[in-house]
């Protein structure tokens, strides 16, 4: 059973998440030969104030 954890900055719409989950699931079925009903996706939302890239806080961009 593939368990896929996705970390992303908050602000994605439910429709974006649905589309992303569908694509991830399809890839797991095609590549890993997983059963569709066994593919589990969990989202962890991260606030911009919790992330820095290249020494710059995302919230400062």
């Amino acid at each position: 059973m593939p368990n896929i954890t996705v970390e992303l900055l908050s602000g994605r719409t439910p429709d974006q998440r649905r589309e992303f989950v569908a694509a991830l699931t399809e890839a797991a079925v095609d590549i890993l030969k997983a059963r569709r009903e066994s593919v589990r996706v969990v989202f962890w939302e991260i606030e911009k104030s919790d992330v820095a890239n290249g020494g710059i806080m995302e919230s400062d961009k």
Side-chain angles (χ1 to χ4, degrees), residues 9 47-61:
L9 291 177
E47 297 300 322
K48 287 185 176 186
S49 60
D50 296 329
V51 178
N53 288 311
I56 300 171
M57 297 296 297
E58 282 295 315
S59 56
D60 292 340
K61 292 182 179 179

Side-chain angles (χ1 to χ4, degrees), residues 5-19:
T5 302
V6 179
E7 293 183 8
L8 70 164
L9 291 177
S10 61
R12 301 318 194 286
T13 67
D15 285 338
Q16 288 173 314
R17 287 174 172 229
R18 284 185 192 96
E19 186 175 349

Side-chain angles (χ1 to χ4, degrees), residues 29-53:
V29 168
D30 290 345
I31 297 167
L32 302 176
K33 307 302 182 208
R35 292 183 339 204
R36 184 173 309 282
E37 60 274 8
S38 296
V39 178
R40 179 177 178 228
V41 180
V42 177
F43 287 100
W44 288 93
E45 281 198 349
I46 302 168
E47 297 300 322
K48 287 185 176 186
S49 60
D50 296 329
V51 178
N53 288 311

